[in-house]
Amino acid sequence: MTLRVLTRYHLELLVRSQRWLAPGLAYVVVLGLGLSGGDDTAGAAAFSAGLLVPVAGWLVRAAVGAEPAQSRACLVAAAGWPRVHLAALLAAVLAGLGLGLAGLAAAVLLGSGGSGAAVAAGALATVVCVLSGAAVGALCNRPVVTGAYAVPLGLGGVVAVLLVPGSPANAVVRALVLGARGALSVPWWTLPAALVLAAACCWAAVAAAVRRGD
């Protein structure tokens, strides 16, 4: 069973189980409350992207817990722990990207009609923040962290990713906020940095899944 097939299965399971509804609706409601007609596109895109960090982490939690234990055991027997858990993480990333692109489109349509650079920076921020949130979710949910500590650790990770200077999500959101007030400087380095961060955290989560068999 290929990783592509497993990812599609986990994505369909996430949708059918309706576990995406809570993070999805939270994103839509908060975004709707925060956006208004005529907002600067860069600022609106920064708001949308920043929301995606906790939402992506929440989607990871939903995706890795969506499958019943017996069904998961059958998948593991057919494909192995690494691909099964990695597919769940990828499904959460794809769901986050879908929400983020829809949010960015809303920010552009409702905004003041920003430049192509602002839209490109918004797309970059969307991808970077989804990857950063997924990295936090991969480390702060099963099988790495289980029990009552998962949620507070995840919230702490989200705050750190958004507020610690030098993190990809902080850099790209800050650039958009500053760009709404003046010249926009797009920090393209944040994309490879976020990819490396997400890959490392997903590798750690997959390794924990293999070691613990969970």
Side-chain angles (χ1 to χ4, degrees):
M1 192 175 294
T2 66
L3 183 60
R4 179 181 177 183
V5 171
L6 287 170
T7 302
R8 184 173 63 187
Y9 165 76
H10 278 286
L11 190 58
E12 292 175 353
L13 182 64
L14 182 62
V15 173
R16 290 200 311 268
S17 67
Q18 298 185 354
R19 293 175 67 93
W20 66 274
L21 274 177
L25 288 177
Y27 175 72
V28 170
V29 169
V30 177
L31 186 66
L33 292 174
L35 294 182
S36 60
D39 285 343
D40 183 87
T41 299
F47 181 67
S48 171
L51 287 177
L52 287 170
V53 177
V55 168
W58 195 348
L59 284 169
V60 168
R61 182 173 181 83
V64 299
E67 189 174 25
Q70 292 180 340
S71 175
R72 187 175 177 89
C74 292
L75 273 185
V76 169
W81 278 111
R83 279 189 288 180
V84 170
H85 194 70
L86 181 57
L89 297 176
L90 289 175
V93 169
L94 291 175
L97 288 174
L99 282 174
L101 291 176
L104 177 61
V108 172
L109 291 174
L110 292 175
S112 57
S115 64
V119 176
L124 172 69
T126 296
V127 176
V128 167
C129 287
V130 168
L131 290 173
S132 299
V136 173
L139 287 185
C140 297
N141 285 297
R142 57 177 292 193
V144 181
V145 179
T146 57
Y149 295 104
V151 172
L153 283 176
L155 291 174
V158 165
V159 171
V161 162
L162 282 173
L163 298 184
V164 171
S167 76
N170 174 273
V172 75
V173 171
R174 183 184 295 272
L176 281 170
V177 171
L178 293 177
R181 303 172 183 172
L184 176 62
S185 177
V186 182
W188 294 106
W189 65 267
T190 56
L191 179 57
L195 284 169
V196 170
L197 175 65
C201 293
C202 288
W203 177 86
V206 170
V210 172
R211 185 172 64 252
R212 298 181 182 180
D214 184 12

